[in-house]
Every structure is written in structure tokens, then in C-alpha cells.
Amino acid sequence: MTDAMSNARSDGTPSTAKVVPLPAKAPERLVGVGFRCWLAGLATGDIKCWEDAWNSFSGMLGPEQAKALLLDLSKFVRAVKANAQRNIEVSPTGCRSFCRDECLAISIIAACQHNERQALTASAAALIGSDDIGDTLNGAQALATALRQANQLLCPESVCPATCALRAQRRRLM
């Protein structure tokens, strides 16, 4: 996480050459920002990170749906963190772009929703740095299903092709 944050300019925003513009689609934004905030909260113990996730989800979906979705988000992020064989990087809170790992998390959830098994397994393996992806996939499927039930369907274009996920380097996407 510190590597991603060290790529930030002096004003706290990351260099634009190393990030992907924040998609305008709300479901992708929920997953990316939720992943970022929850992972940052686990890393720092700062409750403000989780409050930021809550505010994003409840502001868009209302408190009842947000509560259920954040539980599934938490399970997914905890599975990623527990199984990661590498440092998972996220952009700073408030960043208007997604880094590689945030894009892979979005891709995993989109692949679950669109039954893109090859891209799903490749994205999960690329994110955690291991082929032992079972727990991560279980967490992802639960979140993808909950999002679908809340009418938050990610676009098929948000699925990173399997070859893209496998070839992606650890640096931020350009």
C-alpha cells in the first residue's frame, strides 16, 4: 500500500501518467472506492477509512442496502488480504483514479457477475500473487451477488481480459 501512496505528487494526488481515470459508472466506483477504503482501514486501523466507504455506499444505496453490501465487501477484502502473497496497492482516499490493484478488484467482481471464469481466475491470481485463489473467489462471488441483488451490475467492459491480468506489471496502469 505504501508503494502506491509514494507515487503521489506533493499535493497528494498520484501522477496522472500512472493511473486509470475513475470510471463514471456507479457500480465500478462503489467497488473500487470500497476496496480502497476497506483495505486502507485494515492497514491503518483508522475508522475514517471505513466511514468513507460507508458514506459512499449509503449515499448511493441507502443505509439498509449499504449495511449488507459492506459486510460482503469486508469479506472480500479480508480474503484478498489474508491470501495475498504480495503487497496490495491502493490509491490514497479521495484520489480520482484507480491503480492497477483497484482495477483488478473491479475486474474480479465484474467477471463474477458476467461469468467470465478465465478472466476471473487470472485477475484474482494477479491481484493476490498466487494461484491459491479459492477464498478470494468465494468472497468475490458473495459481493458480486449482493451487488446484483442491489441492482448494481458492473459492465462487461470492466472485466480485464485474462491475458491482460496475467501480463500486467505491478506498477500502476497507464
Side-chain angles (χ1 to χ4, degrees):
M1 199 167 112
T2 56
D3 291 340
M5 291 183 185
S6 67
N7 289 332
R9 296 185 302 211
S10 62
D11 65 358
T13 59
S15 167
T16 55
K18 296 184 179 185
V19 295
V20 175
L22 185 67
K25 297 167 187 74
E28 284 80 2
R29 191 176 9 223
L30 281 176
V31 172
V33 170
F35 182 81
R36 171 188 298 167
C37 292
W38 217 264
L39 194 59
L42 290 174
T44 64
D46 183 357
I47 195 167
K48 182 170 180 347
C49 298
W50 294 309
E51 288 173 348
D52 289 343
W54 168 258
N55 291 335
S56 293
F57 277 69
S58 64
M60 175 171 243
L61 304 168
E64 290 306 313
Q65 279 189 325
K67 192 182 308 182
L69 284 171
L70 285 175
L71 180 60
D72 288 316
L73 172 72
S74 171
K75 290 176 186 176
F76 170 59
V77 174
R78 287 178 188 275
V80 167
K81 185 171 172 40
N83 292 289
Q85 299 298 308
R86 54 182 284 284
N87 289 330
I88 305 296
E89 299 176 5
V90 296
S91 297
T93 302
C95 181
R96 298 185 48 84
S97 306
F98 290 133
C99 69
R100 172 198 181 261
D101 290 345
E102 293 163 340
C103 289
L104 285 171
I106 293 167
S107 176
I108 291 167
I109 303 306
C112 283
Q113 287 186 336
H114 296 286
N115 203 27
E116 296 283 342
R117 303 308 276 168
Q118 188 178 15
L120 171 62
T121 56
S123 292
L127 179 61
I128 67 169
S130 169
D131 290 331
D132 187 16
I133 58 175
D135 290 340
T136 300
L137 295 184
N138 291 336
Q141 189 60 57
L143 177 57
T145 299
L147 284 164
R148 180 184 296 276
Q149 291 170 347
N151 295 318
Q152 298 299 310
L153 186 63
L154 282 74
C155 294
E157 294 81 20
S158 295
V159 177
C160 181
T163 54
C164 171
L166 291 173
R167 289 192 313 240
Q169 294 189 10
R170 292 232 16 233
R171 289 192 243 165
R172 294 172 172 242
L173 295 175
M174 296 178 25

